[in-house]
Amino acid sequence: KDINLKEYKKYAVSLLANEKLAYTMGKAVYSKVKEKYSWNANVISLLNIIYSILNTSTKLRIAVLETGHSSQIYLAGGDKVLEAMVRHLPPKFHFYVIVPQIGLKHWQESRLQIDCSILPRTIFDNKPAPFYVFIAYCIRVWQSFWKLRSIQIDMIYSSTHVLPDVLPAFFLKLLRGDVFWALKIHHLVPNPLQRSGNFFVNIVSYLMQKLALICIRYNCDMIFVNNTQLLKQLASLGVSKEKMRIL
């Protein structure tokens, strides 16, 4: 319930006037916080979630969209987060990582037990100019969608919310509603008017994000975000809080 300033003042004055009541309430809240929200309680809660997943006998075939590479020399947060997750999951979680040729080196060096499904290289890859990146993304959306259709999977994980990681999952989800779609959002592209750099590029990036968020709102089953602030931002844009988890 929303409490206005007048109500807040009434209760604050009551507590200031009654030290015994304030102490009793404070002690009760402290006990509740200590029981449910201490570091120890948080760790136990997290471990229970982890073990409940890892100890299940269910085998999962997970297709990973890892296609947002603009250059061979850059390594993004999505790559590192995904590598850490794969490294700590048991073999019954089988991963098919869909990655462009220019992003393959990282996965080869990781020496993880995964299947890499490589997108054919195009003349637009490894060229950081915005126009070439945009065309490369469009081609990868098409390539990744057909890759997804060709393999038997239970789940799709999009390592970012850029379009080539979103649209193929969105389209497959429309065809196969039984596939679970999870996605990681690291940060949002700000409004072009509040961002430095090439204005045209900023507008295109912002519009691409708008399209991605529409797809995510409509069809994504679970969204991992980095922090509470990002969760609030996405909620203000219409993304369901029930679908979001802070990771």
Side-chain angles (χ1 to χ4, degrees), residues 197-216:
N198 185 297
F199 185 67
F200 177 73
V201 172
N202 291 346
I203 288 179
V204 173
S205 300
Y206 187 71
L207 292 177
M208 288 172 65
Q209 176 175 268
K210 281 278 190 184
L211 176 58
L213 289 177
I214 290 171
C215 296
I216 292 166

Side-chain angles (χ1 to χ4, degrees), residues 67-69 137 158-168 183-184 208 212:
T67 64
H69 296 266
Y137 278 4
S158 300
S159 63
T160 71
H161 76 299
V162 298
L163 277 184
D165 285 344
V166 170
L167 286 182
L183 174 137
K184 181 80 163 72
M208 288 172 65

Side-chain angles (χ1 to χ4, degrees), residues 60-64 148 153-158 169 172-173 176-183 219-224 242-243 245:
L60 279 179
R61 296 163 296 183
I62 305 171
V64 178
L148 286 176
I153 55 171
D154 306 296
M155 176 179 172
I156 306 170
Y157 173 74
S158 300
L172 188 74
K173 182 80 175 172
R176 289 186 54 193
D178 61 315
V179 174
F180 189 89
W181 178 22
L183 174 137
N219 232 355
C220 194
D221 296 295
M222 183 171 290
I223 302 127
F224 298 110
E242 285 70 30
K243 291 183 177 182
R245 302 288 186 276

